[in-house]
Amino acid sequence: MSAALVRPITPKMTETEADQLCINTIRTLSIDAVQQAKSGHPGTPMALAPLVYTLWNRVMRFDPQDPIWPNRDRFVLSNGHASMLLWSVLHLTKTQAVDAEYEALGKPSVSLDDIRHFRQLDSRAPGHPEYHWVSGVETTTGPLAQGVATSVGMAIAQKWLANRYNRSGFEIFDYNIYAVCGDGCMMEGVSSEAASLAGHLGLDNLCWVYDNNHITIEGHTDITFTEDVAARFLAYGWNVLRVGDANDIDRIEHALEVFRKTPGRPTFIVLDSHIGYGSPNKQDTPEAHGEPLGEEECRLTKRSYGWPEDAKFYVPDGVYDHFEAGVGARGASARQEWVKLFDSYRAKYPDLAADIDMMQRRELPTGWDRNLPVFPADPKGIAGRDASGKVLNLLAQNISWFLGGSADLGPSNKTTFTFPGASNLQADTPGGKMLHYGIREHSMAAIVNGLSLSKLRAFGATFFIFSDYARPAIRLSALMELPTILVFTHDAMGDGEDGPTHQPVEHLASLRAIPGLVLLRPGDANEVVEAYRYIVQLRHQPAVLALSRQPLPTLDRSKYASASGVAHGAYVLADAPGGKPEVILIGSGSEVSLAVEAHEKLLSEGIRSRVVSMPSWDIFDHQTKEYRDSVLPPDVNARVAIEQASTFGWERYVGTSGHIIGMNTFGSSAPLKELQRKFGFQPDEVVAAAKNQLGRK
Ligand SMILES: Cc1ncc(C[n+]2csc(CCOP(=O)(O)OP(=O)(O)O)c2C)c(N)n1
Ligand SMILES: [Mg+2]
C-alpha cells in the first residue's frame, strides 16, 4: 500500500493530526483483521482506540524493547473480546517477544502478518489476550471481569513490592496498573468483590476505565443493566471520574493525570463511548459488538475516517515513528534510568536486589525448605489442615515473597500466620504477608493470579466445597501456567455435621479435569509436607491442595514407604511380601490410612495386598511408563480404589473390572463416624471388596 494514501506524519503535521492518524490506524487494523477472519469484535476497538492510544502513547511507562521490565506500568484489557486493541498497539509500538524463560527472542511480539492472521492457528493475534502466548499481554482475559479482578492482585503486589524493596532514594517499584473494562465486566459479580477489596485497601495505584457504551450482545443495556455504576464505585470508596466523550484524548489524558495525583483511593473513570464509532450503519448497535462490519460497511467507515477505502492493514508512514517517539522514547528512558538506579541499589542492598532477581525468574532462595517438619508416627495423628498451617508458617519465613491468606476461614483453614513479626496486609500496612480476602472466593483466586503475575508466591484458601466459587479464576491460573497455590480444607465427608452443602463430592473430579492443574490430596501429615515441597518448586503450574479437617493417623514411615513418594504422584506405600501383590488398594487423603488398615487385615488372612497412596493423578500420569507400571503392575487386575468423593474417573486406575468405593450421591449431615458407616468407608468394606476382586469370600 502506498504511503501517499493518507498524509504521512511529518514534523509539519500538527500533534492532533498525528494522534488522529495513529488512532485511525488502530481502528482500521481492527476492522480489517475482523473482516479478514470473518469473526471477532470490531466495535469496541473502534470506540476505544483513542483511549488505548492515549494510555500507551502519552501516559504509560512501558518499554516495548523489554516488555517484562519489572517496573513497567501494567495494562489489562478486561473486555478481552476487544483484543484487536491490544494486537494493534503491541504491533505499532514494536513490542518485542520474550519466551517462558524470560529471554528476549529478537523479534516482534505481534507482526503485521499475525494481525492479517487474526484468530488463525499459531497467529500471535489470537481471539482473546493470552498471557504466555503473546508477550506484552499482562494477563489472559476473555471471561469478562477476570481482568479487572486480577488487576486488584497486581495492585496489591505493587504496593507490597514497594513497601518491601523501596528505600529512600530508591523507588524501585512505583508503577501503576490500568485496566479497561466494559458493561459485561461491570455486571459480573467478581468485579464487585474485587472493587470492594480494592476500595478497602485504598489501592491508589489502580485505575479502571469503564467503557460505558450502553451496548452488550443482546441489545441496549436498558434491558438488563440500569443501575448507577458510578454511585456503586463511590460507595466502594473509589475516586470516580467521568469523561463524556471517548474521542476527547485531552480529557482522557487529564483524567489519567487526576488518577495519578489522587492518593488513598483507586480511580474509576466512566468513559462514554459509541461502539462501532464511525460506522454509518452500525455505530451504537449490538451488531458492531461481535460481527465483521461487512465489506461495504468497512469502506463507508474508512471513508468517514478520511481513510483510503480500499486500503487494508494499512499503516501510514510515520505511525510507527510516532509511537516510537511517544511510548518508545518515554519507556526506554524510564527503563534505562531504572536500570542505573537498580545497579546502585544492588551495590547498596545486595540481598534485596538478589531477592528481586530471583523472584523475577521464579527461583527460590537457598534454605527455602529450612526446618520443614517431619512428623513422628502417631495413630491419633494430626489433621491435614494443621500440618499445612505449620508448613505455611515456615514457608512464609523462609521465602520473603511468600504470602497469602483465606476468604475469611483462616482459623478453620489453619492458614493464619503466627510466627513472630507476621503482620496483616492492610491499607496502612501494605507490606504485610497475611492477606484477608474477605468472603470473596472468586476474586480471591483472581487476586492470587494477579499476585503471581507480579512474581510473588501467593496462596488463597477456603473450604474445598467453595472452590466452585473460585473455579473460573483457577482455570485461568492453569491456562496462564502460573504457580499459584490454593489451600482447600474440609476436603470430604470429614466435614461431618455441616452436611451435604459443605461436603465436596464432585470437586476432585472437576479440578482434576483442568489441564495443567496439579491437584494433591495428601494422606497424612508427612505427605502434606512433601506436597508443599513439590508445589513450591513449580514455576509454571498452579497447585490445589485438598486437606482434611479431621486428624489422620501419621503413618509409621519406618514400617511403610517414605512420604517422599508424593513427588511421583502415587507410590507403593505398603506392599505384599516379596513385592508380589495379588490385589491393589489405591487411596488418597483420608482414605490412605483406611486402605492401610484393610491391608493389614488382608495380610493377616494371607492375602497379598499392596497399598498405593495416590495423592495426585496429574503428577502420576506424568511419570514414565516404567514407573507407573511398577506401582500399578498391568498384570494385577484385582484393584480397589477408595476415595470419599465422586467415583468419576477412577476406572482409569482400577480398570473396568476393578471396584471403586466412593460417592455416587451427596453426603449427609451427621457425625463423621456415622457417615463413614453409612457410605461404606470402613476397613471391613475395603477388605470385602478386595476379596471380591479375588473371587474369595
Ligand atoms: C463471563 C463471560 N460471560 C459471557 C461472555 C460472552 N460475551 C463476550 S462479550 C459479551 C458482551 C459484553 O458486553 P460489553 O462488556 O458491554 O462489551 P461491548 O460489547 O460493549 O464491547 C458477552 C456476553 C464472556 N466472554 N464472559
Ligand atoms: Mg458495552
Side-chain angles (χ1 to χ4, degrees):
M1 212 48 66
S2 127
L5 286 167
V6 296
R7 265 178 72 200
I9 297 179
T10 62
K12 280 198 213 116
M13 187 177 253
T14 65
E15 185 71 15
T16 315
E17 286 170 318
D19 293 335
Q20 204 51 48
L21 206 61
C22 292
I23 290 166
N24 286 336
T25 306
I26 298 175
R27 285 179 168 141
T28 52
L29 283 178
S30 305
I31 291 171
D32 289 340
V34 174
Q35 188 62 35
Q36 172 91 10
K38 298 194 178 65
S39 84
H41 305 77
T44 301
M46 291 157 75
L48 297 187
L51 166 72
V52 168
Y53 170 76
T54 310
L55 245 175
W56 280 68
N57 216 34
R58 291 193 176 179
V59 177
M60 273 173 39
R61 279 181 314 171
F62 172 87
D63 184 356
Q65 293 301 315
D66 185 0
I68 56 171
W69 168 40
N71 198 35
R72 68 192 181 279
D73 285 339
R74 304 316 199 250
F75 174 79
V76 173
L77 190 68
S78 192
N79 43 355
H81 55 277
S83 59
M84 269 313 304
L85 280 171
L86 199 43
W87 308 147
S88 302
V89 83
L90 288 174
H91 171 67
L92 295 172
T93 55
K94 297 189 176 166
T95 295
Q96 294 296 294
V98 290
D99 66 12
E101 293 305 308
Y102 316 111
E103 302 298 339
L105 297 176
K107 60 173 194 182
S109 168
V110 179
S111 68
L112 200 53
D113 212 43
D114 287 317
I115 291 180
R116 283 198 188 94
H117 293 91
F118 177 49
R119 293 180 156 240
Q120 308 308 304
L121 197 63
D122 293 336
S123 166
R124 301 286 159 171
H128 290 83
E130 290 185 47
Y131 178 78
H132 245 272
W133 178 242
V134 191
S135 308
V137 173
E138 299 285 5
T139 183
T140 294
T141 52
L144 295 170
Q146 285 296 329
V148 280
T150 303
S151 76
V152 173
M154 293 177 178
I156 294 172
Q158 188 280 328
K159 292 218 167 252
W160 192 91
L161 289 165
N163 187 275
R164 172 153 181 91
Y165 294 107
N166 289 357
R167 291 291 181 273
S168 167
F170 293 96
E171 297 289 312
I172 300 300
F173 293 107
D174 63 353
Y175 61 90
N176 290 313
I177 295 94
Y178 299 93
V180 177
C181 51
D183 298 303
C185 297
M186 290 300 101
M187 289 192 219
E188 290 289 353
V190 68
S191 62
S192 303
E193 293 179 15
S196 162
L197 186 60
H200 169 77
L201 291 175
L203 300 174
D204 52 16
N205 53 352
L206 179 65
C207 178
W208 290 3
V209 183
Y210 163 40
D211 176 28
N212 182 35
N213 64 11
H214 293 289
I215 292 287
T216 65
I217 291 177
E218 292 186 4
H220 195 276
T221 48
D222 274 357
I223 61 171
T224 46
F225 193 52
T226 44
E227 72 205 32
D228 184 341
V229 180
R232 213 171 98 194
F233 277 75
L234 280 173
Y236 291 141
W238 287 52
N239 167 40
V240 177
L241 308 173
R242 182 170 214 122
V243 175
D245 177 2
N247 287 318
D248 190 337
I249 61 177
D250 292 330
R251 286 273 171 84
I252 291 173
E253 190 179 7
H254 177 68
L256 294 169
E257 194 183 324
V258 174
F259 151 64
R260 288 198 308 283
K261 290 186 172 156
T262 304
R265 285 177 295 163
T267 288
F268 185 72
I269 302 174
V270 182
L271 180 70
D272 297 335
S273 84
H274 295 279
I275 194 165
Y277 175 80
S279 159
N281 299 302
K282 298 210 167 166
Q283 179 176 316
D284 296 320
T285 70
E287 288 70 45
H289 162 90
E291 295 168 14
L293 293 183
E295 291 292 350
E296 181 54 20
E297 194 67 12
C298 283
R299 262 192 289 278
L300 295 175
T301 307
K302 285 177 186 168
R303 189 186 299 169
S304 84
Y305 297 150
W307 209 251
E309 289 176 28
D310 293 316
K312 290 209 168 127
F313 302 102
Y314 172 44
V315 182
D317 280 356
V319 167
Y320 293 113
D321 298 339
H322 196 65
F323 276 100
E324 200 172 324
V327 60
R330 192 178 52 254
S333 89
R335 181 171 67 92
Q336 280 153 19
E337 272 172 40
W338 186 90
V339 168
K340 263 191 250 146
L341 184 75
F342 194 66
D343 281 345
S344 34
Y345 179 83
R346 191 191 303 283
K348 206 161 170 196
Y349 306 104
D351 293 348
L352 295 180
D355 272 12
I356 294 170
D357 289 339
M358 269 184 280
M359 196 189 320
Q360 292 305 314
R361 305 189 69 85
R362 298 202 187 281
E363 290 164 359
L364 293 168
T366 43
W368 65 270
D369 57 353
R370 198 184 308 123
N371 299 333
L372 284 187
V374 177
F375 292 91
D378 175 3
K380 276 214 284 317
I382 164 171
R385 57 176 173 155
D386 284 310
S388 159
K390 290 187 200 306
V391 178
L392 284 172
N393 269 275
L394 284 162
L395 291 173
Q397 292 173 80
N398 293 347
I399 306 168
S400 319
W401 54 96
F402 188 96
L403 78 176
S406 167
D408 200 48
L409 286 169
S412 289
N413 299 142
K414 307 290 180 192
T415 47
T416 308
F417 291 150
T418 51
F419 58 87
S423 65
N424 285 323
L425 189 148
Q426 286 293 334
D428 52 356
T429 51
K433 287 192 153 207
M434 184 80 265
L435 272 69
H436 298 279
Y437 299 102
I439 307 149
R440 305 180 181 101
E441 295 82 7
H442 193 176
S443 67
M444 170 177 75
I447 287 167
V448 171
N449 287 346
L451 294 166
S452 180
L453 286 160
S454 314
K455 306 292 174 74
L456 301 183
R457 223 42 220 286
F459 73 90
T462 183
F463 288 157
F464 195 29
I465 192 83
F466 303 131
S467 61
D468 281 341
Y469 276 44
R471 199 171 195 282
I474 299 174
R475 181 176 193 273
L476 285 189
S477 318
L479 190 53
M480 288 193 270
E481 303 181 10
L482 298 178
T484 54
I485 301 172
L486 289 152
V487 180
F488 293 136
T489 69
H490 299 58
D491 67 343
M493 218 88 75
D495 208 36
E497 295 84 343
D498 271 337
T501 60
H502 281 53
Q503 291 156 348
V505 171
E506 72 282 20
H507 300 74
L508 287 170
S510 152
L511 290 172
R512 280 171 181 151
I514 296 182
L517 178 72
V518 174
L519 185 144
L520 284 141
R521 184 169 184 250
D524 77 346
N526 289 310
E527 283 200 6
V528 171
V529 176
E530 295 310 310
Y532 273 109
R533 196 190 301 281
Y534 183 87
I535 286 171
V536 169
Q537 296 178 74
L538 295 172
R539 292 172 72 221
H540 296 297
Q541 275 180 291
V544 160
L545 273 173
L547 301 167
S548 76
R549 166 193 180 235
Q550 75 278 22
L552 305 179
T554 307
L555 298 167
D556 181 353
R557 299 286 170 171
S558 64
K559 183 168 176 199
Y560 303 116
S562 158
S564 61
V566 167
H568 297 291
Y571 62 103
V572 179
L573 175 68
D575 211 356
K580 293 244 177 291
E582 55 189 323
V583 59
I584 306 176
L585 312 178
I586 315 169
S588 84
S590 45
E591 286 64 71
V592 172
S593 44
L594 173 60
V596 168
E597 225 181 305
H599 165 79
E600 297 295 349
K601 279 197 177 184
L602 289 166
L603 283 190
S604 72
E605 295 180 30
I607 294 174
R608 287 179 286 116
S609 81
R610 162 180 287 189
V611 177
V612 170
S613 172
M614 188 179 270
S616 174
W617 288 16
D618 178 77
I619 301 173
F620 182 65
D621 291 349
H622 284 88
Q623 304 302 306
T624 60
K625 179 164 173 15
E626 203 182 356
Y627 177 78
R628 283 181 282 126
D629 287 351
S630 75
V631 175
L632 299 175
D635 59 346
V636 185
N637 291 315
R639 299 181 183 189
V640 181
I642 319 143
E643 190 167 62
Q644 271 183 34
S646 168
T647 55
F648 189 91
W650 272 105
E651 300 82 3
R652 72 158 68 176
Y653 301 111
V654 299
T656 45
S657 63
H659 186 78
I660 308 163
I661 301 179
M663 297 294 293
N664 293 305
T665 63
F666 294 114
S668 303
S669 174
L672 174 61
K673 286 233 164 333
E674 283 177 44
L675 293 171
Q676 286 168 332
R677 200 172 317 127
K678 175 174 161 77
F679 291 103
F681 295 97
Q682 300 199 109
D684 288 348
E685 254 108 348
V686 180
V687 168
K691 287 185 181 169
N692 193 31
Q693 282 286 300
L694 294 168
R696 299 194 208 166
K697 286 247 154 107

